[in-house]
Amino acid sequence: MIDLRSDTVTKPSKEMLEFMTQAEVGDDVFGEDPTVIKLQKICAELTGKDDALFVPTGCMANQLAIKAHTNPGDEVIVEFNSHIMNYETAAPAIISRVQLLPITGVNGIMDVSVIKKHIRPNEYYFPKTKLISLENTHNRAGGIIQPIENIKAITDLAKENNIKTHLDGARIFNASVETGISVKEYASYFDSISFCFSKGLGAPIGSILCGDSEFIKIAHKWRKILGGGMRQVGVIAAAALYALKNNVQRLKEDHKKAKLFAEKISNIKEINIDLNTVQTNIVIFSTTKYGKQEFIQKLKERGVLISSGSYDYLRAVFHLDVHMCEVEEAAQIVNELF
Ligand code: TLP
């Protein structure tokens, strides 16, 4: 099977597994796991933040950020198609008891003037606008990179209005290798940033949340409340360390695969695809010839797995376990269906 459902499907390589077996471990609930301590220190340095917290998932990282930045009844501005809005099971309403205010962006990119209009005036009958969250790269928009000028404008606006900012940087390394803008620079505009080791970086599990010491202290407490205190977790922190060392630069190859696939299917008349949106490792497209599930099924029967994107969109994601020749093969199989 050529599995293009997500970059989360990657399996740890032999070398990564080998590295994991050599990890020094301790009880991380006691703060005694040397590998976790090392990973958190490296990630804090990488993002230019005081501190970092290793968590099992990207969802937990985002939810801890929302929890630590807000109080119940506050409002959080997110993009309409963001992961937080769509795929985190309304957790902000459950865990933080906040209201999300979704703003529709163009390809996931919000307009600063629209955000400005949605910041609540300081009246007792309004919720307080407490946090703005951005996603880079933007998953549902197809791996779109947030333009740096727009990031600056939005985070400047937030600062002027005393609003905290969070970056869901699940795929921030994809943005960074493509633009040449460092993760540290991206992170510098935000109060907090999270990113995942378990997507394009190829680790089996793990995400990180970075921010100032006080923020991480609150997040740490809430990780425990949510049952996310982990013990000899250095074995998986080691996978993250391995991924940071070995799997960052190679993300560019995944972007080449996505572009190649997109180009090869873009000539098909009944496929709608905007090549300008293929900026990193995700390709979203739709087809007028088949129903969505029908198309997914037809590809599956021919050995290619893709996933359902938002609305009419289909999604193919490129990663370290798909080889260039499989990209060609998958595109050929799509072509044969038309
Ligand atoms: N995204 C997954 C699915 O949940 C859709 C995927 O296959 O792409 N932020 C962003 C931008 C994400 O894309 C994801 C996962 C997360 C957060 C959550 O990460 P996990 O799955 O580790 O909780």
Side-chain angles (χ1 to χ4, degrees):
M1 278 286 177
I2 303 173
D3 196 344
L4 308 177
R5 285 171 302 165
S6 181
D7 45 10
T8 59
V9 301
T10 53
K11 298 197 176 116
S13 64
K14 237 195 212 147
E15 294 76 13
M16 182 183 273
L17 286 169
E18 180 67 33
F19 191 75
M20 290 165 77
T21 63
Q22 289 158 18
E24 257 191 89
V25 295
D27 190 329
D28 185 51
V29 173
F30 294 150
E32 288 174 1
D33 188 301
T35 311
V36 171
I37 292 169
K38 184 175 176 189
L39 175 69
Q40 290 177 162
K41 190 165 174 278
I42 286 176
C43 290
E45 277 164 15
L46 193 73
T47 56
K49 302 293 181 204
D50 293 348
D51 215 343
L53 185 70
F54 188 45
V55 292
T57 63
C59 286
M60 191 187 276
N62 283 336
Q63 294 309 318
L64 292 180
I66 294 172
K67 184 71 208 170
H69 282 311
T70 64
N71 292 307
D74 285 340
E75 194 163 62
V76 178
I77 293 181
V78 292
E79 202 280 320
F80 188 80
N81 277 305
S82 63
H83 197 274
I84 290 175
M85 184 70 208
N86 293 279
Y87 299 121
E88 302 193 11
T89 53
I94 302 165
I95 298 168
S96 301
R97 289 180 284 144
V98 292
Q99 172 164 288
L100 296 182
L101 193 153
I103 289 181
T104 306
V106 176
N107 290 331
I109 298 161
M110 292 186 279
D111 184 327
V112 66
S113 64
V114 179
I115 296 183
K116 196 171 181 181
K117 280 188 209 155
H118 286 85
I119 296 175
R120 304 282 186 175
N122 188 15
E123 292 288 356
Y124 79 91
Y125 44 79
F126 283 130
K128 190 173 171 49
T129 307
K130 201 59 182 295
L131 177 66
I132 301 175
S133 179
L134 262 60
E135 188 174 307
N136 197 16
T137 62
H138 194 298
N139 180 356
R140 265 176 48 131
I144 289 276
I145 299 170
Q146 300 283 342
I148 197 80
E149 290 311 321
N150 205 48
I151 291 177
K152 284 185 198 164
I154 294 172
T155 52
D156 279 350
L157 174 73
K159 281 187 199 100
E160 283 159 27
N161 288 277
N162 210 15
I163 296 169
K164 297 285 181 191
T165 51
H166 172 66
L167 177 62
D168 174 357
R171 296 185 178 84
I172 193 63
F173 286 99
N174 292 85
S176 177
V177 299
E178 196 56 38
T179 59
I181 297 168
S182 67
V183 168
K184 195 178 242 168
E185 174 166 357
Y186 277 125
S188 69
Y189 302 109
F190 296 87
D191 293 294
S192 60
I193 173 172
S194 56
F195 61 84
C196 299
F197 304 107
S198 56
K199 303 203 161 55
L201 296 185
I205 176 174
S207 291
I208 198 106
L209 177 63
C210 309
D212 70 28
S213 308
E214 199 45 41
F215 166 86
I216 292 295
K217 233 171 148 177
I218 304 169
H220 187 211
K221 188 175 176 69
W222 275 92
R223 184 185 70 174
K224 185 75 179 118
I225 292 170
L226 296 174
M230 301 178 284
R231 302 291 179 177
Q232 287 71 24
V233 76
V235 276
I236 58 172
L241 284 172
Y242 182 92
L244 283 178
K245 190 156 176 223
N246 298 286
N247 291 346
V248 171
Q249 282 313 315
R250 61 148 310 285
L251 290 171
K252 281 187 192 159
E253 293 167 29
D254 299 339
H255 303 174
K256 280 194 197 136
K257 293 173 201 164
K259 284 197 175 78
L260 177 69
F261 178 80
E263 276 159 19
K264 293 217 172 245
I265 66 165
S266 64
N267 295 330
I268 303 169
K269 238 182 37 220
E270 292 127 311
I271 280 196
N272 305 314
I273 183 167
D274 177 357
L275 290 178
N276 293 321
T277 65
V278 187
Q279 299 177 1
T280 55
N281 67 326
I282 302 178
V283 178
I284 54 169
F285 61 98
S286 62
T287 171
T288 45
K289 182 166 175 183
Y290 299 101
K292 206 164 144 173
Q293 289 311 324
E294 185 192 4
F295 188 64
I296 291 174
Q297 186 55 33
K298 282 200 178 303
L299 281 182
K300 189 176 176 183
E301 284 157 14
R302 288 159 180 78
V304 178
L305 298 176
I306 62 165
S307 60
S308 166
S310 57
Y311 316 111
D312 293 337
Y313 287 109
L314 296 149
R315 186 181 79 146
V317 187
F318 296 84
H319 51 78
L320 85 178
D321 286 347
V322 208
H323 302 288
M324 223 25 131
C325 56
E326 290 175 313
V327 176
E328 303 250 10
E329 195 184 328
Q332 180 58 33
I333 290 168
V334 172
N335 271 275
E336 283 163 14
L337 283 175
F338 290 88

